Amino acid sequence: MNLRAPAKINLYLEVLGVRPDGYHRLKTLFARISWADEICLRLRPCGLTVRTHPPELFPQRKNLCRAAALALQREAGVRAGARVLLKKKIPIGAGLGGGSSDAAAVLKGLCRLWKLPLPIPRLARLGARLGSDVCFFLYDTPYAVGTGRGEHILPLRPQKIKTYWIVLLFPRFSLSTREVYGNLRKFQRLPNPNLTAPANLDRLRFHLERGSFLENWVDFLFNRLEDVVVPSYPEIGHIQRSLQKLGASQARLSGSGSCVFGLFSSRSQAIRTARALRSYPWECRIARMG
Ligand code: C5P
């Protein structure tokens, strides 16, 4: 069984406060994009083998594919095994949710392979234990609002699907989500008195559900984590300015970074900008959103 595990970007991310368990309460808007990891699953009579390509990606304990397969085996009392091959395309530590998407794809794929009729809410409870972003990828939706620590998902139901284009720039260094949130707590009062009006998230939602022109909603994009990431990593600000100078309607950090995305209403504009960025030292990709 061959699966695609797509990446996400956050079109909106506000941090509302700290929870007793140390996680942060969020209000976020996830968008699925076309850049994806590839996963191949094979049925085995017993045991689990997980391989990655390239091979030395992460120590076994950090491999969310393995964690997801083991958690599902335990949850459903499965005796059968599987072979998982992960072809990693999405950069790690980039704020694109690659590891979470891999975990969600493995959960859904193994349910089919092992013939387990687990409903999505039950898989989501399992997924939430693996990572805050896993649940978004379990719902087959282009956009969703995430609350709680990001694991409570409200899928948007666009009445009209419109494709938007993004240029993604990866500065070739990774950021630790834990560290970024830790710095936010250190340097900002939480809950923050300057919270962006949650109305902006509702406006974004309204426009995405109607497939509005980019110009109508692009100014509502927001990411609170930029407050701590941009001052610590000036290169991120440099990427944002370069993208905007070269025609992106808006350039924002995705999740806790380090990837920055610029939005475009046409593919040709995105290609032109990506070409102009060829001489810069960052890894550049074009992807579809919506
Ligand atoms: O849930 P996940 O494992 O992806 O989170 C990684 C780290 O990011 C957590 O250990 C926590 O430090 C931080 N985090 C947070 N609040 C969230 C999501 C993540 O503090 N809502």
Side-chain angles (χ1 to χ4, degrees), residues 211-248:
S212 294
F213 289 115
L214 190 59
E215 305 80 64
N216 294 329
W217 54 266
V218 77
D219 290 336
F220 303 132
L221 298 190
F222 177 77
N223 187 344
R224 171 66 62 197
L225 300 177
E226 286 177 5
D227 288 2
V228 285
V229 172
V230 177
S232 311
Y233 300 92
E235 198 164 350
I236 302 276
H238 185 191
I239 296 178
Q240 287 180 307
R241 288 189 297 278
S242 308
L243 265 167
Q244 286 193 284
K245 208 167 66 194
L246 291 168

PDB file of all heavy atoms in Angstrom, residues 211-248:
ATOM      1  N   GLY A 211     -13.849  30.193  -1.127  1.00  0.00           N
ATOM      2  CA  GLY A 211     -12.872  30.216  -2.223  1.00  0.00           C
ATOM      3  C   GLY A 211     -12.626  31.621  -2.746  1.00  0.00           C
ATOM      4  O   GLY A 211     -12.505  31.840  -3.951  1.00  0.00           O
ATOM      5  N   SER A 212     -12.536  32.601  -1.820  1.00  0.00           N
ATOM      6  CA  SER A 212     -12.349  34.014  -2.208  1.00  0.00           C
ATOM      7  C   SER A 212     -10.973  34.259  -2.815  1.00  0.00           C
ATOM      8  O   SER A 212     -10.031  33.504  -2.564  1.00  0.00           O
ATOM      9  CB  SER A 212     -12.427  34.932  -0.987  1.00  0.00           C
ATOM     10  OG  SER A 212     -13.671  34.951  -0.418  1.00  0.00           O
ATOM     11  N   PHE A 213     -10.862  35.366  -3.517  1.00  0.00           N
ATOM     12  CA  PHE A 213      -9.556  35.782  -4.038  1.00  0.00           C
ATOM     13  C   PHE A 213      -8.607  36.051  -2.870  1.00  0.00           C
ATOM     14  O   PHE A 213      -9.031  36.576  -1.820  1.00  0.00           O
ATOM     15  CB  PHE A 213      -9.689  37.043  -4.887  1.00  0.00           C
ATOM     16  CG  PHE A 213     -10.366  36.781  -6.194  1.00  0.00           C
ATOM     17  CD1 PHE A 213     -11.599  37.356  -6.477  1.00  0.00           C
ATOM     18  CD2 PHE A 213      -9.783  35.946  -7.140  1.00  0.00           C
ATOM     19  CE1 PHE A 213     -12.237  37.097  -7.674  1.00  0.00           C
ATOM     20  CE2 PHE A 213     -10.412  35.680  -8.340  1.00  0.00           C
ATOM     21  CZ  PHE A 213     -11.641  36.258  -8.617  1.00  0.00           C
ATOM     22  N   LEU A 214      -7.356  35.708  -3.093  1.00  0.00           N
ATOM     23  CA  LEU A 214      -6.317  35.850  -2.070  1.00  0.00           C
ATOM     24  C   LEU A 214      -6.297  37.252  -1.437  1.00  0.00           C
ATOM     25  O   LEU A 214      -6.158  37.393  -0.217  1.00  0.00           O
ATOM     26  CB  LEU A 214      -4.979  35.566  -2.758  1.00  0.00           C
ATOM     27  CG  LEU A 214      -3.731  35.407  -1.933  1.00  0.00           C
ATOM     28  CD1 LEU A 214      -3.890  34.273  -0.946  1.00  0.00           C
ATOM     29  CD2 LEU A 214      -2.532  35.118  -2.846  1.00  0.00           C
ATOM     30  N   GLU A 215      -6.466  38.281  -2.275  1.00  0.00           N
ATOM     31  CA  GLU A 215      -6.375  39.668  -1.778  1.00  0.00           C
ATOM     32  C   GLU A 215      -7.390  39.938  -0.665  1.00  0.00           C
ATOM     33  O   GLU A 215      -7.186  40.813   0.169  1.00  0.00           O
ATOM     34  CB  GLU A 215      -6.635  40.697  -2.899  1.00  0.00           C
ATOM     35  CG  GLU A 215      -5.751  40.557  -4.123  1.00  0.00           C
ATOM     36  CD  GLU A 215      -6.242  39.445  -5.042  1.00  0.00           C
ATOM     37  OE1 GLU A 215      -7.347  39.552  -5.591  1.00  0.00           O
ATOM     38  OE2 GLU A 215      -5.496  38.446  -5.192  1.00  0.00           O
ATOM     39  N   ASN A 216      -8.496  39.171  -0.656  1.00  0.00           N
ATOM     40  CA  ASN A 216      -9.544  39.415   0.345  1.00  0.00           C
ATOM     41  C   ASN A 216      -9.167  38.931   1.739  1.00  0.00           C
ATOM     42  O   ASN A 216      -9.763  39.341   2.714  1.00  0.00           O
ATOM     43  CB  ASN A 216     -10.855  38.724  -0.055  1.00  0.00           C
ATOM     44  CG  ASN A 216     -11.439  39.330  -1.296  1.00  0.00           C
ATOM     45  OD1 ASN A 216     -11.266  40.518  -1.540  1.00  0.00           O
ATOM     46  ND2 ASN A 216     -12.109  38.522  -2.091  1.00  0.00           N
ATOM     47  N   TRP A 217      -8.219  37.999   1.811  1.00  0.00           N
ATOM     48  CA  TRP A 217      -7.972  37.416   3.145  1.00  0.00           C
ATOM     49  C   TRP A 217      -6.510  37.382   3.561  1.00  0.00           C
ATOM     50  O   TRP A 217      -6.202  37.093   4.708  1.00  0.00           O
ATOM     51  CB  TRP A 217      -8.592  36.020   3.238  1.00  0.00           C
ATOM     52  CG  TRP A 217      -8.200  35.028   2.156  1.00  0.00           C
ATOM     53  CD1 TRP A 217      -8.874  34.785   0.997  1.00  0.00           C
ATOM     54  CD2 TRP A 217      -7.065  34.152   2.142  1.00  0.00           C
ATOM     55  NE1 TRP A 217      -8.246  33.811   0.262  1.00  0.00           N
ATOM     56  CE2 TRP A 217      -7.126  33.397   0.960  1.00  0.00           C
ATOM     57  CE3 TRP A 217      -6.008  33.914   3.027  1.00  0.00           C
ATOM     58  CZ2 TRP A 217      -6.176  32.443   0.616  1.00  0.00           C
ATOM     59  CZ3 TRP A 217      -5.053  32.953   2.693  1.00  0.00           C
ATOM     60  CH2 TRP A 217      -5.140  32.233   1.497  1.00  0.00           C
ATOM     61  N   VAL A 218      -5.624  37.737   2.647  1.00  0.00           N
ATOM     62  CA  VAL A 218      -4.197  37.532   2.928  1.00  0.00           C
ATOM     63  C   VAL A 218      -3.709  38.366   4.125  1.00  0.00           C
ATOM     64  O   VAL A 218      -2.806  37.951   4.856  1.00  0.00           O
ATOM     65  CB  VAL A 218      -3.371  37.781   1.646  1.00  0.00           C
ATOM     66  CG1 VAL A 218      -3.207  39.256   1.339  1.00  0.00           C
ATOM     67  CG2 VAL A 218      -2.040  37.075   1.713  1.00  0.00           C
ATOM     68  N   ASP A 219      -4.357  39.510   4.378  1.00  0.00           N
ATOM     69  CA  ASP A 219      -3.912  40.353   5.495  1.00  0.00           C
ATOM     70  C   ASP A 219      -4.309  39.803   6.857  1.00  0.00           C
ATOM     71  O   ASP A 219      -3.879  40.323   7.882  1.00  0.00           O
ATOM     72  CB  ASP A 219      -4.458  41.785   5.339  1.00  0.00           C
ATOM     73  CG  ASP A 219      -3.790  42.502   4.180  1.00  0.00           C
ATOM     74  OD1 ASP A 219      -2.656  42.092   3.823  1.00  0.00           O
ATOM     75  OD2 ASP A 219      -4.387  43.436   3.614  1.00  0.00           O
ATOM     76  N   PHE A 220      -5.125  38.763   6.874  1.00  0.00           N
ATOM     77  CA  PHE A 220      -5.545  38.195   8.159  1.00  0.00           C
ATOM     78  C   PHE A 220      -4.610  37.077   8.640  1.00  0.00           C
ATOM     79  O   PHE A 220      -4.795  36.527   9.708  1.00  0.00           O
ATOM     80  CB  PHE A 220      -6.985  37.655   8.069  1.00  0.00           C
ATOM     81  CG  PHE A 220      -7.981  38.693   7.641  1.00  0.00           C
ATOM     82  CD1 PHE A 220      -8.896  38.428   6.634  1.00  0.00           C
ATOM     83  CD2 PHE A 220      -7.984  39.951   8.233  1.00  0.00           C
ATOM     84  CE1 PHE A 220      -9.811  39.393   6.229  1.00  0.00           C
ATOM     85  CE2 PHE A 220      -8.894  40.919   7.836  1.00  0.00           C
ATOM     86  CZ  PHE A 220      -9.809  40.646   6.830  1.00  0.00           C
ATOM     87  N   LEU A 221      -3.603  36.744   7.813  1.00  0.00           N
ATOM     88  CA  LEU A 221      -2.654  35.700   8.232  1.00  0.00           C
ATOM     89  C   LEU A 221      -1.889  36.186   9.458  1.00  0.00           C
ATOM     90  O   LEU A 221      -1.562  37.371   9.565  1.00  0.00           O
ATOM     91  CB  LEU A 221      -1.634  35.411   7.131  1.00  0.00           C
ATOM     92  CG  LEU A 221      -2.131  34.880   5.793  1.00  0.00           C
ATOM     93  CD1 LEU A 221      -0.946  34.446   4.952  1.00  0.00           C
ATOM     94  CD2 LEU A 221      -3.065  33.718   5.984  1.00  0.00           C
ATOM     95  N   PHE A 222      -1.574  35.250  10.348  1.00  0.00           N
ATOM     96  CA  PHE A 222      -0.905  35.657  11.578  1.00  0.00           C
ATOM     97  C   PHE A 222      -0.205  34.463  12.210  1.00  0.00           C
ATOM     98  O   PHE A 222      -0.702  33.332  12.140  1.00  0.00           O
ATOM     99  CB  PHE A 222      -1.955  36.214  12.558  1.00  0.00           C
ATOM    100  CG  PHE A 222      -1.371  36.594  13.890  1.00  0.00           C
ATOM    101  CD1 PHE A 222      -0.648  37.769  14.033  1.00  0.00           C
ATOM    102  CD2 PHE A 222      -1.524  35.759  14.992  1.00  0.00           C
ATOM    103  CE1 PHE A 222      -0.089  38.105  15.260  1.00  0.00           C
ATOM    104  CE2 PHE A 222      -0.966  36.089  16.219  1.00  0.00           C
ATOM    105  CZ  PHE A 222      -0.253  37.267  16.350  1.00  0.00           C
ATOM    106  N   ASN A 223       0.952  34.705  12.823  1.00  0.00           N
ATOM    107  CA  ASN A 223       1.608  33.659  13.608  1.00  0.00           C
ATOM    108  C   ASN A 223       2.291  34.281  14.821  1.00  0.00           C
ATOM    109  O   ASN A 223       3.297  34.976  14.690  1.00  0.00           O
ATOM    110  CB  ASN A 223       2.632  32.908  12.751  1.00  0.00           C
ATOM    111  CG  ASN A 223       3.217  31.709  13.491  1.00  0.00           C
ATOM    112  OD1 ASN A 223       3.093  31.604  14.715  1.00  0.00           O
ATOM    113  ND2 ASN A 223       3.854  30.818  12.760  1.00  0.00           N
ATOM    114  N   ARG A 224       1.745  34.036  16.009  1.00  0.00           N
ATOM    115  CA  ARG A 224       2.291  34.605  17.250  1.00  0.00           C
ATOM    116  C   ARG A 224       3.738  34.171  17.476  1.00  0.00           C
ATOM    117  O   ARG A 224       4.533  34.908  18.072  1.00  0.00           O
ATOM    118  CB  ARG A 224       1.411  34.167  18.422  1.00  0.00           C
ATOM    119  CG  ARG A 224       1.956  34.500  19.794  1.00  0.00           C
ATOM    120  CD  ARG A 224       2.025  35.987  20.066  1.00  0.00           C
ATOM    121  NE  ARG A 224       0.708  36.610  20.029  1.00  0.00           N
ATOM    122  CZ  ARG A 224       0.510  37.930  19.919  1.00  0.00           C
ATOM    123  NH1 ARG A 224       1.544  38.757  19.807  1.00  0.00           N
ATOM    124  NH2 ARG A 224      -0.715  38.416  19.893  1.00  0.00           N
ATOM    125  N   LEU A 225       4.124  32.984  17.022  1.00  0.00           N
ATOM    126  CA  LEU A 225       5.462  32.463  17.307  1.00  0.00           C
ATOM    127  C   LEU A 225       6.550  33.276  16.610  1.00  0.00           C
ATOM    128  O   LEU A 225       7.712  33.220  17.000  1.00  0.00           O
ATOM    129  CB  LEU A 225       5.548  30.971  16.945  1.00  0.00           C
ATOM    130  CG  LEU A 225       4.557  30.084  17.719  1.00  0.00           C
ATOM    131  CD1 LEU A 225       4.647  28.639  17.257  1.00  0.00           C
ATOM    132  CD2 LEU A 225       4.797  30.163  19.228  1.00  0.00           C
ATOM    133  N   GLU A 226       6.167  34.069  15.608  1.00  0.00           N
ATOM    134  CA  GLU A 226       7.148  34.958  14.965  1.00  0.00           C
ATOM    135  C   GLU A 226       7.726  35.948  15.986  1.00  0.00           C
ATOM    136  O   GLU A 226       8.869  36.385  15.850  1.00  0.00           O
ATOM    137  CB  GLU A 226       6.498  35.746  13.818  1.00  0.00           C
ATOM    138  CG  GLU A 226       6.246  34.890  12.590  1.00  0.00           C
ATOM    139  CD  GLU A 226       5.544  35.652  11.481  1.00  0.00           C
ATOM    140  OE1 GLU A 226       5.340  36.874  11.616  1.00  0.00           O
ATOM    141  OE2 GLU A 226       5.184  35.011  10.475  1.00  0.00           O
ATOM    142  N   ASP A 227       6.942  36.299  17.015  1.00  0.00           N
ATOM    143  CA  ASP A 227       7.419  37.254  18.035  1.00  0.00           C
ATOM    144  C   ASP A 227       8.732  36.805  18.669  1.00  0.00           C
ATOM    145  O   ASP A 227       9.548  37.622  19.063  1.00  0.00           O
ATOM    146  CB  ASP A 227       6.394  37.401  19.178  1.00  0.00           C
ATOM    147  CG  ASP A 227       5.156  38.171  18.758  1.00  0.00           C
ATOM    148  OD1 ASP A 227       5.072  38.551  17.579  1.00  0.00           O
ATOM    149  OD2 ASP A 227       4.278  38.382  19.627  1.00  0.00           O
ATOM    150  N   VAL A 228       8.913  35.486  18.814  1.00  0.00           N
ATOM    151  CA  VAL A 228      10.160  35.011  19.411  1.00  0.00           C
ATOM    152  C   VAL A 228      11.138  34.451  18.379  1.00  0.00           C
ATOM    153  O   VAL A 228      12.346  34.507  18.581  1.00  0.00           O
ATOM    154  CB  VAL A 228       9.926  33.954  20.527  1.00  0.00           C
ATOM    155  CG1 VAL A 228       9.421  34.605  21.787  1.00  0.00           C
ATOM    156  CG2 VAL A 228       9.015  32.833  20.085  1.00  0.00           C
ATOM    157  N   VAL A 229      10.620  33.943  17.269  1.00  0.00           N
ATOM    158  CA  VAL A 229      11.526  33.310  16.291  1.00  0.00           C
ATOM    159  C   VAL A 229      12.269  34.368  15.463  1.00  0.00           C
ATOM    160  O   VAL A 229      13.489  34.270  15.274  1.00  0.00           O
ATOM    161  CB  VAL A 229      10.752  32.320  15.379  1.00  0.00           C
ATOM    162  CG1 VAL A 229      11.632  31.811  14.255  1.00  0.00           C
ATOM    163  CG2 VAL A 229      10.220  31.145  16.193  1.00  0.00           C
ATOM    164  N   VAL A 230      11.554  35.395  15.006  1.00  0.00           N
ATOM    165  CA  VAL A 230      12.196  36.372  14.101  1.00  0.00           C
ATOM    166  C   VAL A 230      13.349  37.132  14.792  1.00  0.00           C
ATOM    167  O   VAL A 230      14.433  37.238  14.222  1.00  0.00           O
ATOM    168  CB  VAL A 230      11.157  37.316  13.449  1.00  0.00           C
ATOM    169  CG1 VAL A 230      11.827  38.367  12.579  1.00  0.00           C
ATOM    170  CG2 VAL A 230      10.164  36.493  12.612  1.00  0.00           C
ATOM    171  N   PRO A 231      13.165  37.624  16.047  1.00  0.00           N
ATOM    172  CA  PRO A 231      14.305  38.310  16.675  1.00  0.00           C
ATOM    173  C   PRO A 231      15.507  37.381  16.912  1.00  0.00           C
ATOM    174  O   PRO A 231      16.654  37.821  16.834  1.00  0.00           O
ATOM    175  CB  PRO A 231      13.748  38.798  18.020  1.00  0.00           C
ATOM    176  CG  PRO A 231      12.264  38.772  17.873  1.00  0.00           C
ATOM    177  CD  PRO A 231      11.952  37.691  16.877  1.00  0.00           C
ATOM    178  N   SER A 232      15.259  36.096  17.182  1.00  0.00           N
ATOM    179  CA  SER A 232      16.384  35.184  17.455  1.00  0.00           C
ATOM    180  C   SER A 232      17.059  34.702  16.173  1.00  0.00           C
ATOM    181  O   SER A 232      18.231  34.325  16.197  1.00  0.00           O
ATOM    182  CB  SER A 232      15.920  33.939  18.211  1.00  0.00           C
ATOM    183  OG  SER A 232      15.137  34.294  19.294  1.00  0.00           O
ATOM    184  N   TYR A 233      16.320  34.653  15.091  1.00  0.00           N
ATOM    185  CA  TYR A 233      16.881  34.147  13.828  1.00  0.00           C
ATOM    186  C   TYR A 233      16.614  35.174  12.726  1.00  0.00           C
ATOM    187  O   TYR A 233      15.632  35.054  11.972  1.00  0.00           O
ATOM    188  CB  TYR A 233      16.252  32.794  13.457  1.00  0.00           C
ATOM    189  CG  TYR A 233      16.477  31.740  14.502  1.00  0.00           C
ATOM    190  CD1 TYR A 233      15.547  31.538  15.525  1.00  0.00           C
ATOM    191  CD2 TYR A 233      17.639  30.970  14.490  1.00  0.00           C
ATOM    192  CE1 TYR A 233      15.769  30.591  16.514  1.00  0.00           C
ATOM    193  CE2 TYR A 233      17.862  30.021  15.470  1.00  0.00           C
ATOM    194  CZ  TYR A 233      16.925  29.842  16.481  1.00  0.00           C
ATOM    195  OH  TYR A 233      17.149  28.905  17.452  1.00  0.00           O
ATOM    196  N   PRO A 234      17.492  36.199  12.608  1.00  0.00           N
ATOM    197  CA  PRO A 234      17.253  37.274  11.647  1.00  0.00           C
ATOM    198  C   PRO A 234      17.075  36.775  10.216  1.00  0.00           C
ATOM    199  O   PRO A 234      16.426  37.424   9.395  1.00  0.00           O
ATOM    200  CB  PRO A 234      18.512  38.145  11.769  1.00  0.00           C
ATOM    201  CG  PRO A 234      19.156  37.744  13.062  1.00  0.00           C
ATOM    202  CD  PRO A 234      18.713  36.360  13.382  1.00  0.00           C
ATOM    203  N   GLU A 235      17.628  35.594   9.920  1.00  0.00           N
ATOM    204  CA  GLU A 235      17.501  35.050   8.569  1.00  0.00           C
ATOM    205  C   GLU A 235      16.026  34.825   8.195  1.00  0.00           C
ATOM    206  O   GLU A 235      15.644  34.946   7.030  1.00  0.00           O
ATOM    207  CB  GLU A 235      18.267  33.738   8.488  1.00  0.00           C
ATOM    208  CG  GLU A 235      18.541  33.344   7.074  1.00  0.00           C
ATOM    209  CD  GLU A 235      19.613  32.280   6.941  1.00  0.00           C
ATOM    210  OE1 GLU A 235      20.282  31.961   7.930  1.00  0.00           O
ATOM    211  OE2 GLU A 235      19.747  31.778   5.815  1.00  0.00           O
ATOM    212  N   ILE A 236      15.212  34.525   9.196  1.00  0.00           N
ATOM    213  CA  ILE A 236      13.775  34.301   8.930  1.00  0.00           C
ATOM    214  C   ILE A 236      13.143  35.607   8.426  1.00  0.00           C
ATOM    215  O   ILE A 236      12.382  35.616   7.458  1.00  0.00           O
ATOM    216  CB  ILE A 236      13.046  33.817  10.221  1.00  0.00           C
ATOM    217  CG1 ILE A 236      13.683  32.536  10.756  1.00  0.00           C
ATOM    218  CG2 ILE A 236      11.535  33.675   9.998  1.00  0.00           C
ATOM    219  CD1 ILE A 236      13.231  31.245  10.147  1.00  0.00           C
ATOM    220  N   GLY A 237      13.490  36.731   9.091  1.00  0.00           N
ATOM    221  CA  GLY A 237      12.981  38.036   8.658  1.00  0.00           C
ATOM    222  C   GLY A 237      13.473  38.364   7.254  1.00  0.00           C
ATOM    223  O   GLY A 237      12.740  38.907   6.421  1.00  0.00           O
ATOM    224  N   HIS A 238      14.728  37.995   6.977  1.00  0.00           N
ATOM    225  CA  HIS A 238      15.321  38.224   5.654  1.00  0.00           C
ATOM    226  C   HIS A 238      14.527  37.458   4.590  1.00  0.00           C
ATOM    227  O   HIS A 238      14.208  37.982   3.523  1.00  0.00           O
ATOM    228  CB  HIS A 238      16.787  37.771   5.720  1.00  0.00           C
ATOM    229  CG  HIS A 238      17.568  38.042   4.471  1.00  0.00           C
ATOM    230  ND1 HIS A 238      18.818  37.519   4.270  1.00  0.00           N
ATOM    231  CD2 HIS A 238      17.275  38.750   3.360  1.00  0.00           C
ATOM    232  CE1 HIS A 238      19.242  37.891   3.085  1.00  0.00           C
ATOM    233  NE2 HIS A 238      18.338  38.641   2.515  1.00  0.00           N
ATOM    234  N   ILE A 239      14.171  36.222   4.898  1.00  0.00           N
ATOM    235  CA  ILE A 239      13.393  35.413   3.951  1.00  0.00           C
ATOM    236  C   ILE A 239      12.025  36.056   3.719  1.00  0.00           C
ATOM    237  O   ILE A 239      11.557  36.168   2.571  1.00  0.00           O
ATOM    238  CB  ILE A 239      13.210  33.968   4.473  1.00  0.00           C
ATOM    239  CG1 ILE A 239      14.558  33.257   4.578  1.00  0.00           C
ATOM    240  CG2 ILE A 239      12.275  33.174   3.569  1.00  0.00           C
ATOM    241  CD1 ILE A 239      14.490  31.839   5.124  1.00  0.00           C
ATOM    242  N   GLN A 240      11.392  36.501   4.799  1.00  0.00           N
ATOM    243  CA  GLN A 240      10.053  37.108   4.660  1.00  0.00           C
ATOM    244  C   GLN A 240      10.118  38.341   3.756  1.00  0.00           C
ATOM    245  O   GLN A 240       9.304  38.502   2.846  1.00  0.00           O
ATOM    246  CB  GLN A 240       9.519  37.520   6.037  1.00  0.00           C
ATOM    247  CG  GLN A 240       9.094  36.332   6.885  1.00  0.00           C
ATOM    248  CD  GLN A 240       8.578  36.756   8.250  1.00  0.00           C
ATOM    249  OE1 GLN A 240       9.246  37.486   8.968  1.00  0.00           O
ATOM    250  NE2 GLN A 240       7.396  36.307   8.603  1.00  0.00           N
ATOM    251  N   ARG A 241      11.123  39.183   4.005  1.00  0.00           N
ATOM    252  CA  ARG A 241      11.237  40.421   3.190  1.00  0.00           C
ATOM    253  C   ARG A 241      11.529  40.075   1.731  1.00  0.00           C
ATOM    254  O   ARG A 241      10.976  40.684   0.816  1.00  0.00           O
ATOM    255  CB  ARG A 241      12.325  41.331   3.776  1.00  0.00           C
ATOM    256  CG  ARG A 241      11.901  41.981   5.109  1.00  0.00           C
ATOM    257  CD  ARG A 241      12.909  43.041   5.532  1.00  0.00           C
ATOM    258  NE  ARG A 241      14.236  42.476   5.800  1.00  0.00           N
ATOM    259  CZ  ARG A 241      14.594  41.888   6.954  1.00  0.00           C
ATOM    260  NH1 ARG A 241      13.727  41.806   7.949  1.00  0.00           N
ATOM    261  NH2 ARG A 241      15.812  41.403   7.127  1.00  0.00           N
ATOM    262  N   SER A 242      12.396  39.076   1.527  1.00  0.00           N
ATOM    263  CA  SER A 242      12.755  38.711   0.137  1.00  0.00           C
ATOM    264  C   SER A 242      11.525  38.200  -0.608  1.00  0.00           C
ATOM    265  O   SER A 242      11.295  38.562  -1.768  1.00  0.00           O
ATOM    266  CB  SER A 242      13.827  37.619   0.113  1.00  0.00           C
ATOM    267  OG  SER A 242      14.902  37.992   0.919  1.00  0.00           O
ATOM    268  N   LEU A 243      10.749  37.365   0.049  1.00  0.00           N
ATOM    269  CA  LEU A 243       9.550  36.813  -0.599  1.00  0.00           C
ATOM    270  C   LEU A 243       8.580  37.931  -0.977  1.00  0.00           C
ATOM    271  O   LEU A 243       8.018  37.939  -2.076  1.00  0.00           O
ATOM    272  CB  LEU A 243       8.849  35.841   0.352  1.00  0.00           C
ATOM    273  CG  LEU A 243       9.204  34.363   0.195  1.00  0.00           C
ATOM    274  CD1 LEU A 243       8.701  33.555   1.383  1.00  0.00           C
ATOM    275  CD2 LEU A 243       8.638  33.785  -1.099  1.00  0.00           C
ATOM    276  N   GLN A 244       8.412  38.882  -0.064  1.00  0.00           N
ATOM    277  CA  GLN A 244       7.449  39.953  -0.340  1.00  0.00           C
ATOM    278  C   GLN A 244       7.954  40.885  -1.426  1.00  0.00           C
ATOM    279  O   GLN A 244       7.189  41.330  -2.276  1.00  0.00           O
ATOM    280  CB  GLN A 244       7.117  40.701   0.941  1.00  0.00           C
ATOM    281  CG  GLN A 244       6.200  39.841   1.818  1.00  0.00           C
ATOM    282  CD  GLN A 244       5.572  40.592   2.959  1.00  0.00           C
ATOM    283  OE1 GLN A 244       6.238  40.860   3.938  1.00  0.00           O
ATOM    284  NE2 GLN A 244       4.302  40.921   2.838  1.00  0.00           N
ATOM    285  N   LYS A 245       9.271  41.122  -1.391  1.00  0.00           N
ATOM    286  CA  LYS A 245       9.857  41.983  -2.425  1.00  0.00           C
ATOM    287  C   LYS A 245       9.666  41.350  -3.803  1.00  0.00           C
ATOM    288  O   LYS A 245       9.481  42.029  -4.801  1.00  0.00           O
ATOM    289  CB  LYS A 245      11.343  42.178  -2.118  1.00  0.00           C
ATOM    290  CG  LYS A 245      11.895  43.491  -2.640  1.00  0.00           C
ATOM    291  CD  LYS A 245      13.250  43.803  -2.075  1.00  0.00           C
ATOM    292  CE  LYS A 245      14.287  42.806  -2.562  1.00  0.00           C
ATOM    293  NZ  LYS A 245      15.547  42.840  -1.832  1.00  0.00           N
ATOM    294  N   LEU A 246       9.683  40.004  -3.833  1.00  0.00           N
ATOM    295  CA  LEU A 246       9.594  39.311  -5.121  1.00  0.00           C
ATOM    296  C   LEU A 246       8.161  38.940  -5.483  1.00  0.00           C
ATOM    297  O   LEU A 246       7.927  38.078  -6.322  1.00  0.00           O
ATOM    298  CB  LEU A 246      10.481  38.069  -5.093  1.00  0.00           C
ATOM    299  CG  LEU A 246      11.972  38.385  -5.071  1.00  0.00           C
ATOM    300  CD1 LEU A 246      12.797  37.155  -4.751  1.00  0.00           C
ATOM    301  CD2 LEU A 246      12.410  38.970  -6.408  1.00  0.00           C
ATOM    302  N   GLY A 247       7.183  39.523  -4.782  1.00  0.00           N
ATOM    303  CA  GLY A 247       5.807  39.391  -5.264  1.00  0.00           C
ATOM    304  C   GLY A 247       4.845  38.584  -4.424  1.00  0.00           C
ATOM    305  O   GLY A 247       3.673  38.460  -4.790  1.00  0.00           O
ATOM    306  N   ALA A 248       5.315  37.990  -3.296  1.00  0.00           N
ATOM    307  CA  ALA A 248       4.361  37.230  -2.463  1.00  0.00           C
ATOM    308  C   ALA A 248       3.412  38.213  -1.794  1.00  0.00           C
ATOM    309  O   ALA A 248       3.842  39.275  -1.334  1.00  0.00           O
ATOM    310  CB  ALA A 248       5.105  36.432  -1.404  1.00  0.00           C
TER     311      ALA A 248
END
